[in-house]
Amino acid sequence: MIAEVLVELGARNIDRTFDYLVPSNLYEDIKIGIRVLVPFGRQEVEGFVLALKNETLHDELKTIIRLVDQEVILNEELRQLGKYISDTTLSTLIASYQVMLPKAVKASKKTTINKKETTYFSLAKPLELITEETITPSQEAILEYLKTHPKAEKKELVSISTSSVKTLLKKGIIVENKEEKYRLTSTYSIEEKKPLTKRQQEVVNEIMSFQNDNKVFLLHGVTGSGKTEVYMELIEKMKEEGKSSIVLVPEISLTEQIVSRFRSRFGEDIAILHSRLSDGEKYDEWRKINRQEVSIVIGARSAIFAPLKNIGIIIIDEEHTTTYKQENTPKYHALDIAKWRSTYHKCPVVLGSATPSLESYARALKGVYHLIEMKERVNQKPLPEVKIIDLNTEKKKKTENSYFSNELWEEITKRIESNEQIMLLLNRRGYSSIVSCQNCGYVEKCPHCDISLTYHKTSGMLRCHYCGYAKRLEVICPECREEAMKNLGVGTERIEEELKKYLPTARVVRMDMDTTSRKGAHEKIITAFQNHEYDILLGTQMIAKGLDFKDVTLVGIINADTSLNIPDFRSSEYTFQLLSQTSGRSGRGDKEGKVYIQTFNPDHYAIYCAKNHDYVSFYKKEMEIRHTLGYPPYYYLVLVKIISKDYSKAQKESTKIGDYLKRNLSEVSILGPSMANVFKMNNQYRFQIVLKYKRCEKLYPVLKELINHYQSDRLLTVDIDFNPVHF
Ligand code: ADP
Ligand code: ZN
């Protein structure tokens, strides 16, 4: 027997299978999709068996060394899906397979992640059959214990007597066994499910009426309209049919709350996959799924690859979120994977959002997706009242604390007194975003990247948010030697300091990348805030989505302009989404909520549409602009990046690539080459070419050719991103 094996060879980019002999002792166990260890050159590497056959064109085959696992890692569906990813993102097949798998089961020899095992003891035969005469009282006690606890762990027995355990083992009266144990444990209590509202029931019925169709639903529901409850009901219905479900959530900060809601409904029938789990935990959760021991998977982007069989529904919550697009190769979008799998399983996809992406809403209006609206909140309360504070006029007033308008400050003080909770958003971490010299204008920039450094006061360091470079803050300007370096711009750390200074009685907790780097930190902050251990939750966009706190009655956005000013054609869309989502955290319980948005651009449509909770007007306005400028959803984009440490090489090759594309793709408009927004990152120079098109048959072959051409060039990378979400 001969196996075709696909191996991971790192940078060597060899994207084809190799034939190996299957030794006869593996005939029984070898299967397509299983992981094997094979000799390759002078080393041993892991790979996946992609086919089994009896003949080969090659002679002198090497032999498979051993199987790495007993279970199939890449089932039939994943094997086809990997092919699809490779074809549509132009990545290698092996990279496309690896991206679907947790580290523990990737084909690679560098890591071994073990299964966790527990040792337990049990009776070798029923008590009545034990005829030994010399049983001591403590041995007797152990046997009695094992009668009622047929699988006792070591720690349970040592309290009785360690030496007796040994003796009983030696005599063969008891036996020792090992069993796999899953690492992740959770505590929860099952709760009575809430009866659905009329609207929720209608939505569930509508989706269920297409339960065997690969239809995509866009569930456009305002914040607090009860979408999560709809998801749970759909999943329950699928369970009744013996089908499984996948739920994607955008942020790790969100999974905690959602998972606990799901746990109290579905108990242990859930596996969780997100980046904050340890590799061991991910391995365990993945095995639970692969063995079909659970029927629900909740997780971030990569959970879309969960190897569930018989999928009944795929739900993508907050579908507009950009993290659903993978930024590294293979640059897949979870939504595309969901659609592919829904075709495979003939099941619906539900995309939920209060602020759908323009692409999705446009598709819904065209009838490509099936649009379902939920226009009211479950609690029958109106959406919170939003007030815009114009910082242009506010600035002149010169209040004591400089980042809060008088009005917002007053509201904060009032809520603190009445024991209500507050959420404050500033989408920028650190203390100050720019450190510059007041004398000569020198700005502290990263020596490796083309961006200014952010000051982090807690550590006293200036940091680059791209590459992690750090240096101490100094008061003397390195350029003009004046003592005039000053912190400008504001980040969450500074806001926290200000709140503590002027509102010493308020209990403030900050949630951003700096305070949540440790495992479990998100959960801690969220639980503590939920339990009223804090009055104010201050954070970056991390706090904007999905969180459900009943007692938050005030939301303040310190500066709405941070996202408006990013150089990206989607900046208005991101701003509208961020403001709407954050506003949606207010007034979710019995008390009505209020929102304050501080901005220098009160007349910007992204801001006033968010104020009016008016998605449709925003959509129309933004679509006009996209139409005029020829951006998505009217056109598709491809971003080609040319990256090299060698500046002149990058420049020269960019021009060549631009010419090649212009020559070969006449129906595509080709912009550039130009310098990327962050021109230098990690000491690499980055040029970019943007392709805009509506339809182009030749696109894939022409780009594939380009990739092949530069594949073995060690000094230059050509990186292709279809439908990029960030520029
Ligand atoms: P969304 O996901 O649309 O923001 P949620 O599903 O989180 O909305 O619902 C908002 C709040 O209303 C939650 O606290 C939820 O527990 C509650 N809720 C949802 N549906 C019902 C219902 N049918 N009966 C009572 N409370 C509900
Ligand atoms: Zn840097």
Side-chain angles (χ1 to χ4, degrees), residues 615-672:
Y615 176 81
V616 173
S617 298
F618 173 78
Y619 171 82
K620 285 186 182 147
K621 179 84 192 157
E622 182 69 15
M623 284 295 270
E624 271 170 34
I625 294 171
R626 300 282 178 92
H627 189 249
T628 312
L629 299 177
Y631 279 129
Y634 292 98
Y635 287 85
Y636 293 108
L637 298 183
V638 181
L639 180 63
V640 179
K641 280 217 174 91
I642 300 103
I643 305 166
S644 176
K645 283 207 155 109
D646 180 341
Y647 176 90
S648 69
K649 179 169 172 121
Q651 194 181 32
K652 220 170 72 204
E653 297 302 318
S654 299
T655 312
K656 266 209 242 161
I657 292 171
D659 292 344
Y660 164 78
L661 294 173
K662 279 170 201 157
R663 252 193 337 269
N664 288 286
L665 297 171
S666 51
E667 51 289 59
V668 176
S669 43
I670 291 162
L671 316 175

Side-chain angles (χ1 to χ4, degrees), residues 54 135 216:
N54 291 318
I135 300 276
V216 181

Side-chain angles (χ1 to χ4, degrees), residues 303-342:
I304 195 63
F305 299 116
L308 285 170
K309 300 214 171 97
N310 202 8
I311 296 177
I313 196 158
I314 301 172
I315 292 160
I316 302 187
D317 192 25
E318 313 283 3
E319 66 87 31
H320 60 278
T321 312
T322 55
T323 54
Y324 286 134
K325 172 83 189 275
Q326 160 116 336
E327 300 243 30
N328 302 325
T329 305
K331 297 184 172 67
Y332 70 88
H333 199 299
L335 233 121
D336 295 325
I337 309 295
K339 287 183 210 164
W340 188 94
R341 297 195 77 181
S342 87

